[in-house]
């Protein structure tokens, strides 16, 4: 048993201690990452109950499989993989073929050789009206994300919401980098189309 408080230890030391049966070290790992796991679970599952179940399932999996973590990737990346698998397993029965077919059209929109037109960035809200519009956009974006199949939602969430690299996202999902880019391109185009009517109604927020 270490004499130092688990809160002062880096992840690799906590993992080593937890592998050796140190309950305090494992508890600290849970405390350190439970907010991250729940937040990511909710963004993928889009349901608080499912996110809570995924949180529990994830750390049960971590406890059982901690010895299989080889340290070649970051611990957080390993967690993302477990969370993603748990979320997708819970929703596996939901068919998304029709949505996927429609998303494939975003690879090469009519009149373009490839990709999608770049959307003008939205400036940072500065006035009270801008703040209200920004909140509306956030709500609309969340609603639009809920319409995406989980396989596309997790790519968009990891890349554009969590800020993870394409390579890390591909590793979590077991995809090639090109497949990951393709899913991200389709997801972005679909979400842009969902938001376009609102952006058109408020041209003042386009720069």
């Amino acid at each position: 048993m270490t004499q130092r408080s688990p809160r002062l230890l880096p992840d690799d030391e906590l993992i080593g201690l937890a592998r050796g049966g140190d309950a305090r070290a494992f508890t600290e790992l849970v405390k350190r990452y439970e907010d991250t796991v729940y937040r990511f679970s909710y963004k993928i599952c889009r349901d608080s109950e499912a996110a809570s179940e995924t949180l529990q399932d994830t750390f049960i999996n971590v406890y059982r499989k901690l010895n299989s973590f080889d340290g070649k990737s970051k611990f957080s990346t390993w967690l993302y993989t477990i969370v993603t698998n748990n979320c997708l397993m819970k929703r596996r029965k939901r068919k998304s073929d029709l949505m996927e077919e429609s998303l494939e059209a975003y690879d090469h929109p009519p009149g373009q050789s490839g990709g999608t037109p770049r959307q003008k960035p939205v400036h940072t809200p500065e006035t009270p009206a801008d703040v209200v519009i920004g909140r509306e956009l956030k709500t609309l974006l969340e609603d639009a994300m809920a319409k995406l199949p989980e396989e596309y939602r997790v790519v968009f969430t990891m890349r554009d919401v969590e800020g993870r690299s394409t390579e890390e996202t591909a590793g979590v999902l077991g995809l090639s980098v090109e497949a990951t880019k393709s899913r991200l391109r389709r997801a972005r185009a679909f979400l842009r189309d969902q938001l376009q009517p609102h952006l058109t109604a408020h041209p003042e927020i386009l720069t």
Side-chain angles (χ1 to χ4, degrees):
M1 179 73 70
T2 181
Q3 299 300 313
R4 297 169 61 194
S5 170
R7 289 179 297 175
L8 303 177
L9 299 177
D11 286 356
D12 57 347
E13 289 189 38
L14 285 176
I15 292 168
L17 290 169
R19 282 173 169 168
D22 190 328
R24 292 173 60 213
F26 183 77
T27 298
E28 177 59 27
L29 278 175
V30 174
K31 290 180 179 178
R32 193 170 290 184
Y33 285 98
E34 61 183 349
D35 287 345
T36 297
V37 169
Y38 179 83
R39 185 184 69 246
F40 186 62
S41 298
Y42 183 79
K43 289 174 181 175
I44 302 304
C45 299
R46 310 304 300 178
D47 178 85
S48 58
E49 183 176 349
S52 295
E53 291 177 359
T54 299
L55 173 65
Q56 296 177 20
D57 292 345
T58 295
F59 283 110
I60 289 174
N61 292 152
V62 170
Y63 182 79
R64 292 174 176 173
K65 300 178 180 180
L66 193 56
N67 286 331
S68 69
F69 175 64
D70 56 17
K72 293 181 180 179
S73 63
K74 292 185 292 185
F75 184 67
S76 59
T77 299
W78 190 58
L79 279 178
Y80 277 122
T81 303
I82 296 175
V83 172
T84 299
N85 289 338
N86 283 333
C87 282
L88 296 182
M89 285 177 63
K90 289 180 183 298
R91 307 289 288 275
R92 191 76 66 183
K93 294 181 180 179
R94 291 184 56 192
K95 294 183 179 180
S96 59
D97 291 345
L98 292 177
M99 177 63 75
E100 186 163 341
E101 288 177 5
S102 67
L103 286 167
E104 289 176 355
Y106 288 111
D107 268 342
H108 300 289
Q112 295 188 29
S113 59
T116 56
R118 293 182 60 186
Q119 181 68 33
K120 294 181 180 180
V122 177
H123 67 68
T124 302
E126 297 178 353
T127 69
D130 288 334
V131 171
V132 171
I133 292 171
R135 289 173 180 170
E136 291 177 357
L137 276 175
K138 181 178 180 181
T139 299
L140 289 169
L141 176 59
E142 290 176 349
D143 290 343
M145 285 177 64
K147 298 176 183 178
L148 282 169
E150 286 81 359
E151 291 82 358
Y152 290 85
R153 190 186 307 146
V154 68
V155 171
F156 180 82
T157 299
M158 289 197 68
R159 285 288 288 109
D160 288 358
V161 179
E162 296 290 317
R164 300 288 169 167
S165 69
T166 301
E167 291 73 18
E168 183 176 3
T169 302
V172 166
L173 296 175
L175 298 171
S176 68
V177 170
E178 286 306 312
T180 302
K181 289 180 178 179
S182 176
R183 289 190 182 187
L184 179 62
R185 181 169 60 249
R186 295 175 186 176
R188 285 173 173 171
F190 172 79
L191 294 173
R192 181 166 52 245
D193 275 8
Q194 292 291 304
L195 293 175
Q196 190 59 45
H198 183 85
L199 295 175
T200 302
H202 295 280
E204 69 274 14
I205 67 175
L206 298 177
T207 59

